[in-house]
Every structure is written in C-alpha cells, then in structure tokens.
Amino acid sequence: MITLVEVEAYDLTWRLDPAADGVRGRATLRFRGEPEPVEVFGEALVPTRRESGGLRVEALFPYARPGFRRVTDPVDGQVYLYAAPNPHRAPQSLGHSADHRLRAPVTLTAVVPPAWKCLANGLPVVDGGEVRTFAPTAPTAPAWVAAAAGPFVEVAPSVHVPRSRAGFDATRVTDLVDRSLAFFSELLAPYPYPKCELVFVHDLSLLALSTQGLIVFDEGALDRFDDLRYATTVIAHEVAHAWSGNLVDTDIWLVEGLAVYLSRLFAEAERPGDDTWRDPPAPDLPYRPYLDRLLEVEARVGREGLLRGLRAVFAELAHRHAEPAEFEARWG
C-alpha cells in the first residue's frame, strides 16, 4: 500500500493500443512526505522509482473489471478501449493503490490510433494525432480517472456513441442533461467542471459511471431512453453525482443516497403535482435504503434545512473527501 502525507499532483500516461494484450501505463506522483512500500497492479515494467518529491510506477495492465476494457462492437466489429474505474476497489488501471481520499489534480496523456476519438476527464489540449493530452483536472481521487478511445461518433454536442449507433437521436438526452445541470447548479452550487460529456460504451459492468467531466454509460441504455421516466431517472442521477461523489466524496451510502434524493427533486420539478415520481423507479430501487436515511434527515430538519446543509458542504469542502459526520454537523 502507498500512504502519502500530501499528494500535489498525479501525471498519468496510457498507451491505448487495440492490438496489444494490455495497456502500458505510467503514473508519476508528486507529493510531500514519504510513501510506504508500493503495491503495483499489473505487470511491473520497471522497478518503482523514487525521485525527490515524487514516485514513478510503470506497468502493463491486463484488461479486467474494474480497470481497462477492450470491447468489440457486435454489430460492425469495431474495437473500443476504455478505463472503467471503481473508487471502492483497487484501482486496476493506475499502477498503485493510493488512498482515494488523497485528492490532487490529474494530468492525462493518452497514446491512441490517430483516427480515433479520445475522451477523458480534463479538457483536451491536443485533440488529434497519436498523442492526446488533457488539461489537469480539479483535485480528484486517482481511482476516479476515466477515459474512452475508439471510433466514436458525436451525435449531439458532448454526446458520443459507438459508430454503429450513429443514427441515435440524442435530443432527449441533451435536453435532460442541460435541464438537470441548470437545476442542480441553482439548487446546490454552480456546476464545478468546464465540461460535461457523455460517452456510451459496450459491456460496462454498471449501468453508468459518473466521473469528473465525463459520464460513462452502458450502450444498452440507449434502447431505453424512449421511456421518459427511465431517461429522467438515469440522467438526473448521474448528473447529480457531479456534486455528490465528484465535488465532495463520502461513504457510498451517502453518495448514492444523495444522487437518488437530488434526482427525485429534479423529477418533481419536471412534473409538478405528480406524486408518483417521488418514489425511485428502477434502476434506483437498490438505493432505496440509502434514500430512506436521507428522508429521515429531511423529516428532522426540513427540505430547506437539508439543502442548506448540502450547500455548505459543497462550498466549504469542495474537491475533498468528507465523512458523513461532516454532513450531519451542517444538518444539526
């Protein structure tokens, strides 16, 4: 395990070669303090190197869940690569097991086939050719870094799908994203990132994964977005994670409970007077116990008291990991 007193920055380089058996990755950490021994995931390519104020890990990562994925579109045989992180498991695509509470800006460089599109958390700096570079993110946990590369098609501004789904009408998707971003920005705090992109990939182990500036959806969700209730639930939930989980991280029950609670508020605003939208429809049903804990808080302090506490958390603890007690103190 690696334990750092204070991480200042993460620099990642990933070689996303569809013909390779895995992804060659390099992670460079800039920090204050001395690390414990490092546990490397994947096959170490060179010994871990310690430098003044830094540490470098290089490894070959196999395709796995969670971690890097290589998938083939069953319709046209096109190959796609993506990084599907999971902050609550070992970061199989990073090369080290840094504590997810140690947030710092992440700078990503990706080496990809020149004809491919490449998406990541940060804004693109070099968006063509073989070497793509992305601007540093806001402070984030390294296990939240996501990327997708392949022959994606942009079917609407900031909405990317596999080439075989190029005919998808993204009007409803972009409309719900725009409205939910505006709703939460007014309700909680301004949207904290310079972009909000959506990418749909094959064979994601989850329905969706919201990371800083990039939401990764399973491609199968496209077939269900004709259902307004389903589309509203899924999109508002993932957009809400920009605040709950990305801007401020905490225990999983509270991260997911808040995403459900906030998405229900958006649904109520979309359909005033329709009480049936108060209860979480599928796929939020597994999070019902988490929602119930938030409803207990609402019953105790009132809706405005709960939201006032959330605004204080997002203002005072932005880009940090917070314990549930820090939320509770602001609901007190």
Side-chain angles (χ1 to χ4, degrees):
M1 276 297 186
I2 181 170
T3 303
L4 304 176
V5 175
E6 182 179 350
V7 180
E8 295 182 336
Y10 299 96
D11 294 320
L12 306 179
T13 298
W14 294 339
R15 182 174 289 275
L16 304 175
D17 180 356
D21 293 331
V23 172
R24 286 177 173 264
R26 181 175 69 242
T28 302
L29 290 75
R30 309 293 177 194
F31 57 86
R32 297 175 184 172
E34 290 298 323
E36 300 289 339
V38 176
E39 180 182 358
V40 175
F41 298 101
E43 177 187 346
L45 298 175
V46 298
T48 299
R49 289 180 286 183
R50 287 173 173 78
E51 305 165 353
S52 176
L55 180 146
R56 178 172 293 186
V57 179
E58 296 186 44
L60 177 65
F61 305 107
Y63 297 112
R65 288 182 173 180
F68 290 109
R69 301 295 315 284
R70 178 176 61 190
V71 295
T72 302
D73 190 320
V75 175
D76 60 10
Q78 294 291 318
V79 174
Y80 297 82
L81 303 181
Y82 61 90
N86 188 319
H88 306 288
R89 301 183 192 174
Q92 300 286 341
S93 58
L94 289 170
H96 59 85
S97 52
D99 191 322
H100 72 277
R101 287 170 286 193
L102 297 176
R103 288 182 163 223
V106 176
T107 302
L108 176 67
T109 298
V111 182
V112 301
W116 275 14
K117 181 182 289 291
C118 187
L119 308 165
N121 302 106
L123 285 170
V125 176
V126 177
D127 198 22
E130 184 180 28
V131 180
R132 313 294 174 86
T133 60
F134 297 87
T137 67
T140 187
W144 273 120
V145 179
F152 291 102
V153 176
E154 189 171 14
V155 292
S158 300
V159 179
H160 310 270
V161 301
R163 182 179 295 174
S164 64
R165 303 302 300 266
F168 176 74
D169 182 358
T171 303
R172 171 168 288 173
V173 173
T174 55
D175 189 43
L176 284 170
V177 169
D178 290 344
R179 293 210 307 274
S180 57
L181 283 171
F183 178 81
F184 295 134
S185 293
E186 182 177 354
L187 186 73
L188 303 171
Y191 179 68
Y193 307 115
K195 69 182 181 73
C196 179
E197 290 189 293
L198 281 62
V199 60
F200 292 81
V201 301
H202 290 285
D203 199 29
L204 187 66
S205 59
L206 305 168
L207 172 61
L209 177 69
S210 183
T211 64
Q212 186 181 132
L214 181 66
I215 305 176
V216 184
F217 286 91
D218 184 74
E219 174 267 346
L222 294 172
D223 296 323
R224 300 195 60 183
F225 280 164
D226 284 342
D227 181 338
L228 178 60
R229 185 181 177 91
Y230 181 91
T232 302
T233 298
V234 171
I235 291 173
H237 181 117
E238 297 307 323
V239 170
H241 275 312
W243 290 264
S244 175
N246 289 319
L247 181 61
V248 176
D249 184 25
T250 186
D251 288 2
I252 183 64
W253 77 264
L254 187 49
V255 166
E256 292 296 346
L258 283 171
V260 176
Y261 180 83
L262 293 169
S263 67
R264 294 302 86 215
L265 296 187
F266 173 72
E268 288 179 13
E270 290 286 288
R271 300 177 68 87
D274 187 346
D275 293 337
T276 63
W277 284 66
R278 176 65 170 171
D279 293 324
D284 277 352
L285 283 177
Y287 303 130
R288 180 71 213 218
Y290 305 158
L291 174 63
D292 287 342
R293 295 173 72 170
L294 267 299
L295 294 178
E296 290 174 4
V297 175
E298 184 188 73
R300 174 163 49 89
V301 303
R303 177 174 292 186
E304 184 50 42
L306 189 154
L307 292 174
R308 185 167 54 248
L310 283 184
R311 295 184 195 109
V313 168
F314 295 138
E316 299 164 16
L317 305 178
H319 309 299
R320 284 180 48 190
H321 176 90
E323 298 299 329
E326 296 180 90
F327 286 78
E328 185 60 42
R330 290 160 178 81
W331 289 328

